[in-house]
């Protein structure tokens, strides 16, 4: 534990650990936020008096359920489903569903906790929640995916609703899964309740730009971070981990802004392409064929594939971790800094370990934490909810302009808060405090509930 931590906050953290044993990722996410909050309690003693930190660390509701389904061979399979409804002070619970074998309560709670502050940063009326299952979609047929989604929703439907809790995608859950989930919700409730899920397809309630939003938004955030340093993305060499939804649209916007992406990855290896990653090929392999990124190197001349390679050893000026939690450790961070990296923005949730964050902050490089940098996805989900509520659909350009202005606003707010609380240029402190104060004020106003 950090010795500089005010005693009251250190005690809260010990309590969180004791009450949530074995949930390492949740402890990590909580610690990162509350260690920023010392000066906030000095300025707003009412937050301590009303135990806002203690209340914010306790989810409002946690649901764990059985998900039984039959595979293509007729064998019965059982998975575990989760939905953690963390905080609804600002609006209905909002946050994605993750289908990945590593999912357990500690992962869902870390993601739900992060989501509370991220959603507050967007300025949209959304609370925070997260869910998922320890289901592994890899190698599963279309029919298996559909049956799993239907079984998952058969339980989940009684807990969600456009005014209650609005799930969306995350790792392993994209447009296809949202379609099956929405179909089953509609069938069970006999309601075409568009606002119950976001990330829907265009033509049945989805919003233009939602698919691209997280990646595009993260790049806008980098643009803003570089702008205050009188720099830009033009000509920058970039590395983007992952090759899923966030990674693909991060690479697309980077290229559009004149940067050059030379590497991406998946959980099995790294692709390096000094000519610049061919995004159409990545989309074909990952979005259409749903195959491994290794295929890229076999189809593109001059590209190299490093099985099990470490993408952070590829020299770059801008690094955008867009795969999963704790993918950049202290050593990786030092390598990046040594190789001349000037900006890191987290497209993924909590991809940098606490030691990695310290390395970036101490080196004085521009570091955009996930809560701020990847908030464009959920912000555009909230724009989708607005369109659903008004039975309207906006153009790509109009929606993208809104996304851009939300990201620019998040950058400005986190920058200003960091200055105000004595940590100029530190977006970690800026994001944690800005998000916390917005939620805390609403919680105070709503009374002890
Ligand atoms: P996808 O499922 O589309 O892609 C995930 C990518 O990350 C894949 O390339 C995957 O490789 C890789 N990956 C996943 N798990 C691991 C792991 N344990 N180790 C190494 N690589 C891994 O997910 P998204 O792009 O939607 O999500 C990526 C990150 O962005 C997550 O942290 C998510 O929480 C975050 N995020 C997503 C948002 C969204 O709107 N989708 C919004 C904000 C944040 P492989 O295929 O080999 O598993
Ligand atoms: O982590 C995230 O912000 C998401 N996976 C998106 C959540 C959403 O509700 O759009």
């Amino acid at each position: 534990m950090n010795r500089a931590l005010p005693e009251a906050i250190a005690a809260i953290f010990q309590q969180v650990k004791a009450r949530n044993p074995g949930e390492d990722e949740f402890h990590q996410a909580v610690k990162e936020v509350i260690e920023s909050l010392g000066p906030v309690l000095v300025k707003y003693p009412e937050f301590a008096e009303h135990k806002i930190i203690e209340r914010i660390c306790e989810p409002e509701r946690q649901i764990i359920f059985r998900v039984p389904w039959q595979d293509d061979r007729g064998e019965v399979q059982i998975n575990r489903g989760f939905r953690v409804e963390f905080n609804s002070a600002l609006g209905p619970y909002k946050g994605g569903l993750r289908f990945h074998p590593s999912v357990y309560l500690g992962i869902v709670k870390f993601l739900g906790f992060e989501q509370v502050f991220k959603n507050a940063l967007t300025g949209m009326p959304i609370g925070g929640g997260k869910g998922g299952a320890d289901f592994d979609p890899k190698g599963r047929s279309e029919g298996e995916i559909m049956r799993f989604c239907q079984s998952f929703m058969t339980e989940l439907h009684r807990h969600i609703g456009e005014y209650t809790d609005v799930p969306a995608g995350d790792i392993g859950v994209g447009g296809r899964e949202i379609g099956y989930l929405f179909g089953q919700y509609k069938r069970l409730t006999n309601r075409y309740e568009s606002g119950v899920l976001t990330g829907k397809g265009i033509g049945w309630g989805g919003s233009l730009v939602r698919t691209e939003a997280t990646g595009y938004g993260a790049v806008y955030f980098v643009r803003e971070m570089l702008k205050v340093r009188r720099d830009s993305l033009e000509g920058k060499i970039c590395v983007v981990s992952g090759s899923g939804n966030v990674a693909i649209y991060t690479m697309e916007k980077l290229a559009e802004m004149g940067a050059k992406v030379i590497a991406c990855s998946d959980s099995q290896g790294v692709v390096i392409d000094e000519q610049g990653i061919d995004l159409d090929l990545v989309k074909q392999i990952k979005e259409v064929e749903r195959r491994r990124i290794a295929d890229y190197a076999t189809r593109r001349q001059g590209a190299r594939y490093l099985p099990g390679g470490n993408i952070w050893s590829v020299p770059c000026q801008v690094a955008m971790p867009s795969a999963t939690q704790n993918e950049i450790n202290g050593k990786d961070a030092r390598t990046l800094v040594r190789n001349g990296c000037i900006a890191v923005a987290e497209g993924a949730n909590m991809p940098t370990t606490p030691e990695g964050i310290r390395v970036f902050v101490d080196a004085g490089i521009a570091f955009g934490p996930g809560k701020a940098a990847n908030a464009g996805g959920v912000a555009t989900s909230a724009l989708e909810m607005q369109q659903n509520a008004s039975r309207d659909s906006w153009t790509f350009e109009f929606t993208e302009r809104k996304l851009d202005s939300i990201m620019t606003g998040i950058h400005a707010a986190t920058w200003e808060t960091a200055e105000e609380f004595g940590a100029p240029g530190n977006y970690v402190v800026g994001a944690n405090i800005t998000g916390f104060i917005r939620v805390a004020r609403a919680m105070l106003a709503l009374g002890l509930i």
Side-chain angles (χ1 to χ4, degrees), residues 94-96 115 118 130 166 168-170 198 210 349 374 377-378 381:
K94 181 86 198 81
Q115 201 81 46
K118 182 199 303 189
K130 202 86 186 191
V166 183
D170 193 81
T198 60
R210 177 60 190 91
N349 285 306
N374 73 39
V378 76
S381 278

Side-chain angles (χ1 to χ4, degrees), residues 12-84:
I12 294 171
F13 182 62
Q14 288 314 324
Q15 223 178 60
V16 167
K17 283 213 316 198
R19 285 170 66 78
N20 304 277
E23 298 175 1
D24 294 350
E25 296 85 357
F26 179 50
H27 305 164
Q28 183 184 335
V30 167
K31 184 164 184 233
E32 191 230 276
V33 170
I34 69 178
E35 69 188 10
S36 302
L37 299 180
V40 178
L41 295 187
V42 174
K43 186 163 178 191
Y44 302 98
E46 63 272 31
F47 292 163
E49 188 193 330
H50 292 269
K51 297 204 175 172
I52 297 292
I53 301 183
E54 290 91 323
R55 282 158 61 191
I56 250 178
C57 290
E58 183 71 21
E60 289 176 16
R61 190 176 295 111
Q62 307 181 52
I63 302 147
I64 304 181
F65 51 98
R66 179 170 70 200
V67 189
W69 57 285
Q70 225 172 0
D71 69 19
D72 285 347
R73 294 176 308 162
E75 199 174 309
V76 171
Q77 300 279 346
I78 295 126
N79 285 99
R80 186 171 289 176
F82 302 87
R83 187 71 184 168
V84 174

Side-chain angles (χ1 to χ4, degrees), residues 9-205:
I9 289 181
I12 294 171
F13 182 62
Q14 288 314 324
Q15 223 178 60
V16 167
K17 283 213 316 198
R19 285 170 66 78
N20 304 277
E23 298 175 1
D24 294 350
E25 296 85 357
F26 179 50
H27 305 164
Q28 183 184 335
V30 167
K31 184 164 184 233
E32 191 230 276
V33 170
I34 69 178
E35 69 188 10
S36 302
L37 299 180
V40 178
L41 295 187
V42 174
K43 186 163 178 191
Y44 302 98
E46 63 272 31
F47 292 163
E49 188 193 330
H50 292 269
K51 297 204 175 172
I52 297 292
I53 301 183
E54 290 91 323
R55 282 158 61 191
I56 250 178
C57 290
E58 183 71 21
E60 289 176 16
R61 190 176 295 111
Q62 307 181 52
I63 302 147
I64 304 181
F65 51 98
R66 179 170 70 200
V67 189
W69 57 285
Q70 225 172 0
D71 69 19
D72 285 347
R73 294 176 308 162
E75 199 174 309
V76 171
Q77 300 279 346
I78 295 126
N79 285 99
R80 186 171 289 176
F82 302 87
R83 187 71 184 168
V84 174
E85 298 179 334
F86 226 108
N87 195 296
S88 60
L90 293 177
Y93 310 106
K94 181 86 198 81
L97 298 170
R98 176 177 293 191
F99 291 169
H100 192 272
S102 62
V103 167
Y104 78 107
L105 190 57
I107 297 255
V108 181
K109 275 161 74 174
F110 116 64
L111 289 163
F113 186 77
E114 291 276 298
Q115 201 81 46
V116 172
F117 306 99
K118 182 199 303 189
N119 293 5
L121 281 173
T122 66
M124 315 287 288
I126 42 179
K130 202 86 186 191
D134 60 356
F135 169 70
D136 189 356
K138 279 202 191 73
R140 290 294 175 192
S141 70
E142 192 74 25
E144 290 176 321
I145 300 280
M146 182 176 74
R147 290 196 297 282
F148 179 81
C149 289
Q150 290 175 338
S151 181
F152 184 84
M153 185 53 87
T154 300
E155 173 57 33
L156 188 69
H157 86 279
R158 59 185 107 253
H159 307 290
I160 63 176
E162 69 172 310
Y163 297 108
T164 315
D165 184 354
V166 183
D170 193 81
I171 291 176
V173 178
R176 172 180 65 170
E177 291 73 20
I178 294 294
Y180 295 143
L181 291 164
F182 184 70
Q184 184 73 350
Y185 182 86
K186 187 178 77 62
R187 187 182 192 195
L188 287 165
T189 59
N190 195 29
R191 282 161 63 84
Y192 205 107
E193 188 185 329
S194 300
V196 70
L197 288 168
T198 60
K200 298 180 296 297
I202 307 306
W204 49 274

Side-chain angles (χ1 to χ4, degrees), residues 53 65 105 137 156 160 279-280 333 335 357 359 393 396-397 417:
I53 301 183
F65 51 98
L105 190 57
L156 188 69
I160 63 176
L279 206 54
D280 289 338
T335 306
I357 295 175
V359 170
S393 50
F396 195 96
E397 293 69 27
T417 304

Side-chain angles (χ1 to χ4, degrees), residues 118 121-122 221 371-372 375-376 405-415:
K118 182 199 303 189
L121 281 173
T122 66
F221 197 86
K371 281 181 206 79
S405 97
I406 291 168
M407 295 312 297
T408 306
I410 293 174
H411 177 273
T414 52
W415 174 266

Side-chain angles (χ1 to χ4, degrees), residues 249-406:
Y249 294 96
T250 294
M251 294 194 268
E252 185 164 285
K253 189 51 87 179
L254 283 170
E256 225 177 279
M257 291 200 176
K260 187 174 181 188
V261 183
I262 58 161
C264 65
S265 62
D266 64 16
S267 59
Q268 286 163 0
V270 177
V271 154
I272 302 174
D273 187 346
E274 308 282 353
Q275 320 149 74
I277 294 283
D278 175 351
L279 206 54
D280 289 338
L281 181 53
V282 175
K283 285 184 182 174
Q284 175 65 26
I285 293 168
K286 302 304 285 192
E287 292 186 333
V288 180
E289 299 173 22
R290 297 181 186 273
R291 291 174 60 87
R292 315 303 309 159
I293 201 66
D295 286 20
Y296 182 95
T298 63
R299 301 195 208 171
R300 170 108 160 150
Q301 251 193 351
R304 283 180 292 144
Y305 177 65
L306 310 176
N310 182 345
I311 194 166
W312 311 120
S313 60
V314 179
C316 65
Q317 293 161 294
V318 176
M320 301 196 60
S322 308
T324 193
Q325 62 278 354
N326 292 326
E327 53 170 314
I328 299 184
N329 61 26
K331 188 161 168 256
D332 299 327
R334 279 186 288 275
T335 306
L336 282 163
V337 171
R338 196 179 334 109
N339 285 341
C341 182
I342 56 163
V344 175
E346 296 184 326
N349 285 306
M350 208 168 77
T352 314
T353 64
E355 192 194 346
I357 295 175
R358 260 193 311 277
V359 170
F360 292 142
V361 170
D362 290 351
I365 72 166
F367 176 72
K371 281 181 206 79
N374 73 39
V378 76
T380 308
S381 278
L383 300 178
E384 181 173 334
M385 292 163 72
Q386 281 187 8
Q387 292 168 78
N388 294 150
S390 57
R391 300 185 183 280
D392 197 359
S393 50
W394 305 338
T395 64
F396 195 96
E397 293 69 27
F398 180 79
T399 315
E400 196 185 2
R401 268 202 306 280
K402 279 192 177 275
L403 167 64
D404 190 344
S405 97
I406 291 168

